[in-house]
Amino acid sequence: MNKNLRKPVIAGNWKMNKNRQECTALIGELKPLVANATCDVVLCVPYTNLETALEQSKNSNLKIAAQNCHWEKSGAFTGEISADMLHEMGVTHVVLGHSERRQYFGESDGTVNLRAKAALRAGLIPIICIGELLEHRELNITNEVVGVQTKVALSELSKEDMKRVILAYEPVWAIGTGKTATSSQANEVCKEIRSIVANLYDQATADGVVIQYGGSMNAANANELLNEPDVDGGLIGGASLKAQDFASIITAASK
Ligand code: PGA
């Protein structure tokens, strides 16, 4: 499969960073730097910045994502935001199952699946995160762990749904730690995830699905990671908070 048939997606995960003023400034700086990108560029901003980010990114190639969504359309779920509410605003993508949500907020494979189905129903593109802990890697069970996470997250999703799903392989030990997976480690697991998708659906579905790498990707290592045959972009935390750094990664993905 020629990797060039998949359009890379570079997504910046701002996490709980940037107030509205900082959001306006960062998008203003970023827009001219990435105007010629040939990859998709997505900014995953805090809920409180969605409106500002949507306004600031009008008439640009930037797409705006939320960092989570609930699976019900509406109801008694204090503090939650539904996929339909996000779609109504003009949000196009949503990050689901990020390891920080799994680690600190009790997110499970089952709820990631519910959220993914709701996102797709609402017309959003889910960016579904999967990845092993350091102890899994040391026990040599990375493939088993990402296998279970992938299978549960994608349960009951159709082949048609899979045309809109983005997967993000994020080894937990590499997130925010400065410890990047080597490009061959990243590729090995992205390839494994692709083969799981092939087994669940078919080869064409697997060949078409975008699989990002995430975990301390930065301006210095992006080129090497993005050159790997099964790495189709990145989910970037720290390095997405500075326009120049994030733009360099986008340039690397646009080659
Ligand atoms: P990082 O975060 O780039 O700061 O390691 C990645 C992520 O959490 O998506």
Side-chain angles (χ1 to χ4, degrees), residues 8 10 34 36-41 226 247-255:
I10 299 293
V34 305
N36 297 321
T38 56
C39 60
D40 280 342
V41 183
L226 294 169
S248 306
I249 299 172
I250 290 159
T251 304
S254 296
K255 278 184 188 145

XYZ file of all heavy atoms in Angstrom, residues 8 10 34 36-41 226 247-255:
130
model
N -1.951 12.711 5.612
C -1.580 12.806 7.025
C -2.433 13.835 7.766
O -2.887 14.823 7.180
C -0.117 13.254 7.006
C 0.309 13.273 5.599
C -0.883 13.135 4.717
N -2.233 16.191 11.204
C -1.462 16.688 12.343
C -2.435 17.405 13.274
O -3.079 18.380 12.878
C -0.350 17.671 11.887
C 0.640 16.974 10.943
C 0.371 18.271 13.085
C 1.490 15.898 11.575
N 0.984 27.939 8.249
C 0.533 26.612 7.808
C -0.441 26.689 6.629
O -1.051 25.692 6.257
C -0.093 25.804 8.978
C 0.890 25.726 10.137
C -1.400 26.399 9.456
N -0.068 26.726 3.563
C 0.196 25.869 2.399
C 0.339 24.396 2.752
O 0.836 23.602 1.948
C 1.473 26.336 1.684
C 1.301 27.744 1.155
O 0.220 28.087 0.666
N 2.331 28.563 1.284
N -0.087 24.027 3.931
C 0.049 22.623 4.358
C -0.714 21.708 3.412
O -1.814 22.045 2.965
C -0.497 22.475 5.774
N -0.131 20.553 3.140
C -0.863 19.573 2.331
C -1.425 18.454 3.215
O -2.065 17.538 2.729
C 0.043 18.966 1.243
O 1.179 18.398 1.892
C 0.495 20.013 0.243
N -1.158 18.540 4.522
C -1.786 17.601 5.460
C -2.994 18.298 6.085
O -3.148 19.512 5.938
C -0.794 17.208 6.553
S -0.208 18.604 7.537
N -3.837 17.541 6.762
C -4.923 18.166 7.520
C -4.348 18.675 8.846
O -3.505 18.008 9.454
C -6.038 17.153 7.811
C -6.938 16.957 6.595
O -6.914 17.827 5.697
O -7.652 15.939 6.533
N -4.817 19.829 9.262
C -4.343 20.413 10.521
C -5.543 20.630 11.444
O -6.517 21.273 11.056
C -3.627 21.763 10.280
C -3.084 22.307 11.598
C -2.508 21.616 9.251
N 7.439 10.704 10.909
C 6.422 10.819 9.853
C 6.845 10.124 8.561
O 6.017 9.872 7.689
C 6.105 12.293 9.589
C 5.437 13.024 10.762
C 5.409 14.523 10.528
C 4.023 12.490 10.995
N 4.260 24.468 13.528
C 4.352 24.678 12.065
C 5.463 23.814 11.455
O 5.307 23.300 10.341
C 4.578 26.155 11.767
N 6.559 23.631 12.188
C 7.646 22.787 11.646
C 7.171 21.353 11.473
O 7.552 20.672 10.512
C 8.847 22.735 12.593
O 9.274 23.996 12.896
N 6.364 20.883 12.403
C 5.851 19.515 12.314
C 4.909 19.413 11.105
O 4.944 18.432 10.350
C 5.132 19.113 13.627
C 6.133 19.169 14.804
C 4.506 17.726 13.504
C 5.502 18.979 16.180
N 4.111 20.441 10.904
C 3.181 20.464 9.772
C 3.945 20.489 8.449
O 3.588 19.807 7.489
C 2.200 21.650 9.923
C 1.256 21.358 11.098
C 1.416 21.916 8.635
C 0.595 22.560 11.679
N 5.039 21.231 8.436
C 5.878 21.258 7.230
C 6.460 19.870 6.966
O 6.461 19.386 5.830
C 7.027 22.281 7.408
O 6.435 23.536 7.719
C 7.879 22.404 6.167
N 6.881 19.186 8.032
C 7.440 17.838 7.872
C 6.385 16.882 7.312
O 6.698 15.996 6.510
C 7.968 17.329 9.215
N 5.139 17.074 7.725
C 4.063 16.178 7.259
C 3.574 16.562 5.864
O 2.820 15.811 5.252
C 2.897 16.233 8.240
N 3.986 17.697 5.372
C 3.499 18.185 4.079
C 4.422 17.820 2.937
O 4.203 18.232 1.806
C 3.309 19.709 4.135
O 2.303 20.039 5.057
N 5.489 17.076 3.247
C 6.478 16.744 2.195
C 5.941 15.680 1.260
O 5.251 14.784 1.703
C 7.756 16.258 2.839
C 8.573 17.455 3.273
C 9.922 17.041 3.843
C 10.613 18.268 4.431
N 11.387 17.944 5.624
